[in-house]
Amino acid sequence: MGWALVAAEPHHRKGWIKRFDPRFWTVDFARPMMASVVTTAPAALRVETVFYQKQDLAGLIWAAEDRWDHSLLAYETSRDFRHCQLSFRWRSGGVKPLDALHGPTLTIEGRDAEGEARAWYVRLWNYAEGTGDDALVSLNFDALDGGYLLPGEADRVWAGDIDRMFVSLVPPGYDGSDGVLTAPVAGWAEMSEIACSGSGSVLAIGDAMLPEHGLGMTNGYDDAYHLTPARVVRQIVALGYRGDVVHYVGMSHYMRLEASGEGFYASLAGGTINAPCAAWHARFADACKDAGLGVIWSLSYEYFDEYCWNDWKQRDAEGAPALTGWVPPSTLLSPANAVAMGYLQLVARAFVGVAVAAGLPVKFQVGEPWWWVNPGGKICGYDAATTAALGGTSVAIPDLRAALDGGQRAMLDALGALLAVSTAALVAAARDEAGAAGLVSHLLVFLPTVFDPAAREVRRANVPVGWAAPAFDVLQLEDYDWVTGGRGAETGPARSAMVARLGYPIDEQHYFSGFVLRAEDRDQWAAIAEAAGASVRTGVARTFVWALPQVARDGFVWFDGEDDVQAFDAVDFPLAIGREALSVTEFSTQIVSSPSGHEQRASEWAEARMRYDAGPGVRSEGDVRALADFFRARRGAARAFRFRDPFDHGSAADGGLPAASDQWLGTGDGSRRQFALVKRYGAGEAVQERAIRLPVAGSVRVSVDGIETAAFVVTGDGEVLLDVAPAIGGAVRAGFRFDVPVRFAEDRLEVSRATFLAGEMATVPLVEVRAPQGISG
């Protein structure tokens, strides 16, 4: 497997688009209103809106900088709109018309000719011919004036330095005042026959098309609601992802709302999902089908807290609602609340209906259903509906992390049974809606929560035995907290525990690798890529990357094929021969000398690369035969193998026996259990750290805070996995022997019997290769 984080380069493959291409417009708005934009033709787009307040406003946006596409696919940043003419046909309904006060206005944000930041407000009606709801609009950016009345209020636009422009859409009752509308107002607007001409009308755009590979893509509507479906699907296909796309319908943008008291809450008035969401997903389903992609529709019990009725929420024993760490927070619906679960079933039916209408195979995922645990180990199993359902089984569990008695464990089992019943009902509703089309059911489980080592009994509630096969067709697992936190080795044991508890074999499982929450943590992609590759090697049916917005933001790309180049046999070079090898340590340094004798030096390699000549160890005909046999089995230079460096194969500084205190691996944080083996050379700022991926089996010794322990295992990637996480500040150290991954440097092996008997040494060059994954021991 191969991967990279790439940025756009001047030489990367480009195509061309017209400025104002419908695919690349976006929408934005403030809660609680909702809007979406879709393409309806090569030169047309449509915006759907729903307004709840008089002051609601949506913006249809064109940005000079592409902040949403992958760096290989983005359009060029061009803030100079001069010499451009834009024309389109405008049609609308349920929004202020073009000719009204507060009608659609083009707000242009940028800088004036002197470089001072400012904005202009261009009333579109001043450049329209037709009616307020159906008109042709023509904009010449070289002669464009802001202002309501022209020419008296003309404010000439400087089009040479524009950041973004947006068309405002407001409800018919908009008058600049606050207040709730008497009923939600649905609106729409269309721009068709979009044409841009002039010397500034063409933009370069990334036109990369990566080869198809074995990973699947995931996406979430809460992160993509503002983009057109065409833009989303274009990226998925161009980046090489095929098969099914896992699409999380989200927890904050699909719902219809109704006003109550000071807020807005989930509503079924007029339908289940709002019109902008329905329009977006219908177009998304069609685009996926046209691209040969399937869709796994993902629905979770997570719900935007601000929109959730209070009695729907899971609550802890103190009455506090389940609240996630998102800002603003989401909550979790109670599996015991019949009204909440009935609502969720209707949502499932709505999205399954979208799939059926598009003619897609129906695949549905119940995403991360669980009983939430609030800070302090307080499980949220005490809302009124749950307490009533449990009856006498409901007992106090002050802290899940403490030792639990039989009654407390029985309550967790009962919570698990409630959860299993609710998920079965949700799948049944989705299956009923699919009808003759049939349905493939999926269950997504987040391992770090349900297998929390600090609260081991929580799996009774959050991995109920009622989920055991064949309750679902596919079990899907994700573990990104472990992977990005350096604890990826915990996945294997957790996966085995899931197989033992629920019975889904590896080939009926999917794995989700990722994600990177913040752009400044993009180095976490290295661990995510390793985890994805390890999942493929494990033999799961499908591995997905989570998720498209982060993949695009950070420039992540994946490509298959490196395994063929990096073929590795976990066998030792004949030790008797290797013991006498010559050893060469090499770096690569670029040196530029000036006429005065001064130098500029640039080190191109972070670590040394080793070379060896095993020829001096060939001392008998038996050695020649052993070497020739080993060379043939490796197919010359094609396959790498383990080699014991005769001068540097242990952790001890003096080359002696390994001790548990030889090398510092890291410091405990109270939860981290996995530590990579390393050996350090030098001291201070000049120290070099060497990753050890091939420790010798049985040679590893580990100490925590100076006390040697045997409570660990060595993972397939050559890392130490402790049974118990070291306390905060605890120093983890280790000693070990290790091998180096090498290959034959040449595809020919030449040994002459005559020269050998005359005492002339053979030459058997070896060269170090990048350590493969998953082959330690």
Side-chain angles (χ1 to χ4, degrees), residues 394-479:
S394 180
V395 298
I397 305 179
D399 190 342
L400 275 175
R401 300 165 299 182
L404 304 182
D405 61 28
Q408 292 168 326
R409 291 193 296 272
M411 177 180 171
L412 294 178
D413 288 336
L415 288 174
L418 285 175
L419 183 61
V421 168
S422 74
T423 55
L426 184 58
V427 170
R431 195 181 304 278
D432 180 68
E433 187 69 25
L439 179 141
V440 179
S441 62
H442 300 70
L443 171 68
L444 177 63
V445 179
F446 185 61
L447 292 174
T449 294
V450 302
F451 282 96
D452 183 356
R456 293 187 177 275
E457 298 289 3
V458 75
R459 68 192 64 179
R460 292 175 177 269
N462 284 338
V463 190
V465 293
W467 284 350
F472 295 87
D473 297 308
V474 181
L475 175 65
Q476 299 177 311
L477 303 177
E478 62 177 336
D479 62 349

Side-chain angles (χ1 to χ4, degrees), residues 682-761:
E685 293 184 358
V687 70
Q688 192 215 10
E689 187 176 284
R690 181 182 189 182
I692 304 300
R693 300 297 292 272
L694 299 179
V696 175
S699 73
V700 180
R701 302 174 63 185
V702 178
S703 65
V704 178
D705 251 2
I707 300 174
E708 186 165 1
T709 178
F712 70 91
V713 296
V714 179
T715 73
D717 289 329
E719 300 185 349
V720 170
L721 178 63
L722 295 163
D723 292 356
V724 178
I728 297 174
V732 180
R733 306 180 71 90
F736 43 82
R737 294 195 183 280
F738 64 91
D739 292 333
V740 180
V742 301
R743 61 170 173 82
F744 287 103
E746 300 175 357
D747 273 327
R748 55 184 293 173
L749 176 66
E750 184 175 338
V751 181
S752 168
R753 178 180 176 83
T755 56
F756 172 74
L757 294 177
E760 187 174 319
M761 291 190 301

Side-chain angles (χ1 to χ4, degrees), residues 92-459:
S92 63
V95 300
K96 283 270 192 180
L98 290 170
D99 57 348
L101 179 65
H102 305 302
T105 299
L106 179 66
T107 299
I108 298 176
E109 299 172 337
R111 280 153 296 278
D112 61 22
E114 285 70 44
E116 295 296 325
R118 65 156 301 176
W120 295 267
Y121 304 96
V122 179
R123 188 187 184 202
L124 292 183
W125 180 245
N126 289 333
Y127 297 93
E129 293 183 3
T131 68
D133 292 325
D134 189 348
L136 296 177
V137 178
S138 299
L139 304 174
N140 182 349
F141 284 88
D142 288 331
L144 195 61
D145 288 321
Y148 185 76
L149 296 176
L150 300 182
E153 299 177 357
D155 179 15
R156 180 54 53 95
V157 173
W158 165 249
D161 194 1
I162 293 174
D163 291 326
R164 72 168 188 163
M165 46 183 267
F166 64 90
V167 179
S168 56
L169 303 171
V170 298
Y174 184 97
D175 59 7
S177 65
D178 295 343
V180 177
L181 296 170
T182 55
V185 174
W188 60 273
E190 289 181 346
M191 290 172 59
S192 60
E193 303 170 31
I194 299 173
C196 186
S197 59
S199 59
S201 65
V202 175
L203 298 176
I205 188 170
D207 193 27
M209 183 61 71
L210 274 66
E212 296 181 20
H213 51 70
L215 297 191
M217 179 46 67
T218 61
N219 191 39
Y221 186 52
D222 288 344
D223 292 322
Y225 67 90
H226 61 301
L227 306 177
T228 66
R231 189 173 189 172
V232 171
V233 173
R234 170 182 178 261
Q235 292 191 76
I236 294 171
V237 173
L239 294 173
Y241 298 92
R242 297 294 186 272
D244 291 332
V245 176
V246 178
H247 178 75
Y248 175 40
V249 301
M251 53 87 181
S252 64
H253 285 84
Y254 65 73
M255 55 282 298
R256 290 175 180 262
L257 301 174
E258 62 184 67
S260 178
E262 297 292 320
F264 293 86
Y265 298 90
S267 175
L268 293 174
T272 305
I273 60 177
N274 62 64
C277 171
W280 193 97
H281 282 92
R283 190 66 60 178
F284 174 72
D286 289 341
C288 285
K289 183 179 180 182
D290 291 344
L293 301 172
V295 180
I296 300 174
W297 304 86
S298 170
L299 177 64
S300 79
Y301 285 43
E302 188 175 0
Y303 205 83
F304 190 58
D305 181 66
E306 189 176 314
Y307 298 159
C308 189
W309 295 99
N310 284 326
D311 58 343
W312 290 11
K313 301 177 185 180
Q314 296 180 23
R315 295 182 181 272
D316 64 26
E318 298 175 1
L323 293 179
T324 67
W326 300 111
V327 179
S330 53
T331 189
L332 275 295
L333 300 179
S334 170
N337 188 295
V339 177
M341 291 299 98
Y343 172 81
L344 205 62
Q345 292 165 22
L346 291 175
V347 174
R349 287 179 177 273
F351 285 106
V352 168
V354 173
V356 171
L360 286 170
V362 183
K363 301 179 181 182
F364 178 75
Q365 178 206 86
V366 182
E368 296 180 352
W370 54 30
W371 296 97
W372 189 255
V373 180
N374 274 344
K378 300 173 183 177
I379 190 165
C380 294
Y382 296 94
D383 58 273
T386 300
T387 299
L390 293 182
T393 309
S394 180
V395 298
I397 305 179
D399 190 342
L400 275 175
R401 300 165 299 182
L404 304 182
D405 61 28
Q408 292 168 326
R409 291 193 296 272
M411 177 180 171
L412 294 178
D413 288 336
L415 288 174
L418 285 175
L419 183 61
V421 168
S422 74
T423 55
L426 184 58
V427 170
R431 195 181 304 278
D432 180 68
E433 187 69 25
L439 179 141
V440 179
S441 62
H442 300 70
L443 171 68
L444 177 63
V445 179
F446 185 61
L447 292 174
T449 294
V450 302
F451 282 96
D452 183 356
R456 293 187 177 275
E457 298 289 3
V458 75
R459 68 192 64 179

Side-chain angles (χ1 to χ4, degrees), residues 21 72 80 199 770:
D21 185 308
L72 293 177
D80 189 349
S199 59
R770 179 176 180 267

Side-chain angles (χ1 to χ4, degrees), residues 442-712:
H442 300 70
L443 171 68
L444 177 63
V445 179
F446 185 61
L447 292 174
T449 294
V450 302
F451 282 96
D452 183 356
R456 293 187 177 275
E457 298 289 3
V458 75
R459 68 192 64 179
R460 292 175 177 269
N462 284 338
V463 190
V465 293
W467 284 350
F472 295 87
D473 297 308
V474 181
L475 175 65
Q476 299 177 311
L477 303 177
E478 62 177 336
D479 62 349
Y480 59 82
D481 275 6
W482 285 347
V483 170
T484 58
R487 300 165 57 192
E490 298 186 36
T491 301
R495 179 180 282 124
S496 298
M498 289 292 288
V499 172
R501 187 165 177 82
L502 300 183
Y504 297 88
I506 295 295
D507 60 1
E508 291 180 10
Q509 293 182 20
H510 293 171
Y511 175 73
F512 287 58
S513 194
F515 68 100
V516 181
L517 178 61
R518 297 179 295 269
E520 57 267 31
D521 295 327
R522 65 199 303 265
D523 58 340
Q524 293 176 348
W525 283 109
I528 291 168
E530 286 189 16
S535 169
V536 172
R537 292 191 296 273
T538 300
V540 300
R542 191 81 163 123
T543 296
F544 294 90
V545 176
W546 181 265
L548 181 63
Q550 290 76 32
V551 165
R553 179 196 67 201
D554 296 338
F556 178 81
V557 296
W558 178 273
F559 47 91
D560 292 338
E562 276 202 346
D563 283 350
D564 296 335
V565 178
Q566 295 290 327
F568 182 88
D569 294 331
V571 297
D572 295 322
F573 186 79
L575 294 179
I577 299 174
R579 193 176 296 123
E580 305 297 329
L582 296 174
S583 176
V584 177
T585 305
E586 66 175 352
F587 283 91
S588 177
T589 306
Q590 289 284 355
I591 302 174
V592 179
S593 298
S594 69
S596 64
H598 291 86
E599 293 182 343
Q600 291 288 335
R601 296 177 294 276
S603 180
E604 296 182 325
W605 295 353
E607 293 189 21
R609 188 184 198 188
M610 302 303 299
R611 290 184 179 271
Y612 304 96
D613 186 350
V618 181
R619 295 191 171 186
S620 67
E621 291 191 31
D623 289 343
V624 173
R625 286 191 291 271
L627 178 62
D629 180 74
F630 189 84
F631 182 82
R632 281 179 173 270
R634 307 287 80 73
R635 294 169 176 80
R639 306 189 68 82
F641 48 89
R642 302 175 69 116
F643 181 80
R644 189 75 47 82
D645 187 321
F647 304 104
D648 184 10
H649 56 262
S651 57
D654 61 0
L657 293 175
S661 60
D662 284 346
Q663 299 289 330
W664 179 75
L665 306 186
T667 302
D669 61 7
S671 61
R672 180 184 176 193
R673 297 166 52 210
Q674 188 173 345
F675 296 85
L677 293 176
V678 296
K679 182 174 181 180
R680 292 176 176 82
Y681 300 83
E685 293 184 358
V687 70
Q688 192 215 10
E689 187 176 284
R690 181 182 189 182
I692 304 300
R693 300 297 292 272
L694 299 179
V696 175
S699 73
V700 180
R701 302 174 63 185
V702 178
S703 65
V704 178
D705 251 2
I707 300 174
E708 186 165 1
T709 178
F712 70 91

